[in-house]
Amino acid sequence: FNRLWRLFKNDRNEDEVQIVSLSLQHSIFLTEVLKQEHLALGYDLSNAVVIHNGIDLKKFRLDGDKEFPEGQAKLLYVGRVAEKKGVHTAVKAISILKNEGETPLLSIIGDAEDEEYVSVLKKMAHDLGVGEQVSFQSGVAREKMSTIYREHDILIFPSIWEEPFGLVLIEAMASKLPIVSTRTGGTQDFLEDEKNALIFKPANARQLADHLKRLLSLEKDYSELSKKAFQFAKENFDIEKKVDEVEKHLERVIKEVV
């Protein structure tokens, strides 16, 4: 923002507003998309940089290759359970797969942003005949997530809104979990079709189902996507490298302003 609005109490306890200038010239943006949005608004970002979030790769380490799923596959969604996250698209895709002879399980892990939407999802799953294949779990502790990733076979990221970033995707890559995802907002910075994920159009359950069917039927494609995604996370999202990038940027800023 170009101006920072700050409420404070004066001597008469009346609310007043003070305008304080805020420069974004040396800002750190989470994604290139966010940076471009601010540039389009006319901000001076001449010395601003983009530094993505990083993760501790060791916390999600999986020794050896990810095993190809045998029998009933376990699919995973992680994130807020909200309409804008497109969870309904995943439920519809499960129904399409069932009609074509595939019966994977879908675990929906995350807290509800709207309880009514959760009810809609449960009813949808029941009406489509996949109620027993879809499960919901909220209140999951962060320290349990590495185990949850390892216990599943594919991550589905069906978001239909402009995602700020998508840390779940990086955690899944680090866990060697193949990803089928939309590519919106900040995820455009790093998701590449066939390189670290299979991409489908937002709200396109048919395309999502086709990608899932491909990965669950072709072991070679499943294994290659798992390996490429892990290597991508290792090279680009190690938290130690990200800390170094932030420190170097701050050092440059200090030299310029001191």
Side-chain angles (χ1 to χ4, degrees):
F1 303 104
N2 193 39
R3 293 177 174 175
L4 177 63
W5 295 81
R6 180 157 50 98
L7 286 174
F8 71 97
K9 294 288 186 178
N10 65 7
D11 293 338
R12 296 182 180 179
N13 289 324
E14 295 176 352
D15 287 342
E16 292 186 0
V17 176
Q18 181 178 349
I19 300 174
V20 182
S21 295
L22 179 63
S23 171
L24 300 181
Q25 186 178 357
H26 299 92
S27 297
I28 296 176
F29 286 89
L30 180 60
T31 63
E32 184 64 33
V33 170
L34 291 174
K35 181 180 177 182
Q36 291 302 319
E37 286 179 356
H38 285 76
L39 277 172
L41 293 172
Y43 295 113
D44 177 10
L45 305 181
S46 53
N47 294 302
V49 298
V50 173
I51 300 178
H52 297 133
N53 280 341
I55 64 171
D56 184 351
L57 296 172
K58 296 187 294 295
K59 289 184 177 180
F60 300 92
R61 180 177 177 178
L62 174 68
D63 293 329
D65 294 335
K66 182 73 175 175
E67 292 186 7
F68 181 72
E70 300 288 349
Q72 193 170 35
K74 297 178 180 179
L75 312 181
L76 177 66
Y77 166 82
V78 176
R80 295 195 312 282
V81 184
E83 185 173 1
K84 65 185 179 182
K85 302 292 281 186
V87 189
H88 51 279
T89 309
V91 174
K92 291 177 182 178
I94 297 300
S95 173
I96 292 172
L97 290 174
K98 183 177 182 180
N99 291 334
E100 297 176 355
E102 302 280 351
T103 58
L105 301 175
L106 172 62
S107 301
I108 297 174
I109 308 293
D111 296 333
E113 187 172 288
D114 180 359
E115 289 294 343
E116 184 177 346
Y117 179 64
V118 175
S119 298
V120 169
L121 290 175
K122 290 180 178 179
K123 184 178 186 303
M124 178 186 293
H126 177 269
D127 292 347
L128 292 173
V130 294
E132 294 185 358
Q133 293 171 237
V134 181
S135 64
F136 295 79
Q137 188 175 357
S138 60
V140 178
R142 285 289 306 164
E143 56 267 23
K144 294 183 179 181
M145 285 310 303
S146 59
T147 299
I148 288 174
Y149 287 124
R150 284 194 292 269
E151 291 174 343
H152 288 80
D153 302 309
I154 298 173
L155 178 83
I156 301 174
F157 195 83
S159 186
I160 58 179
W161 77 304
E162 296 297 301
E163 286 284 343
F165 183 61
L167 194 63
V168 166
L169 294 163
I170 309 306
E171 294 175 347
M173 290 181 193
S175 304
K176 301 181 180 179
L177 196 60
I179 295 167
V180 182
S181 176
T182 56
R183 189 171 179 266
T184 64
T187 64
Q188 297 175 77
D189 268 25
F190 59 90
L191 284 184
E192 296 185 63
D193 192 31
E194 301 285 347
K195 293 185 178 181
N196 53 25
L198 295 184
I199 305 300
F200 67 97
K201 295 179 180 179
N204 192 326
R206 174 72 264 178
Q207 190 178 19
L208 168 57
D210 288 344
H211 285 333
L212 292 171
K213 197 168 185 177
R214 170 185 165 186
L215 290 177
L216 294 175
S217 60
L218 299 175
E219 184 173 355
K220 180 175 180 291
D221 287 7
Y222 181 93
S223 178
E224 285 184 356
L225 190 61
S226 168
K227 292 176 181 177
K228 287 191 289 188
F230 171 72
Q231 189 63 31
F232 183 82
K234 183 179 178 181
E235 293 175 357
N236 295 280
F237 293 99
D238 187 333
I239 188 63
E240 294 182 4
K241 294 180 180 178
K242 295 303 175 182
V243 170
D244 287 343
E245 289 179 31
V246 172
E247 289 180 346
K248 289 177 181 177
H249 175 66
L250 294 178
E251 288 172 358
R252 288 194 296 268
V253 172
I254 292 171
K255 289 179 181 178
E256 288 179 18
V257 301
V258 174

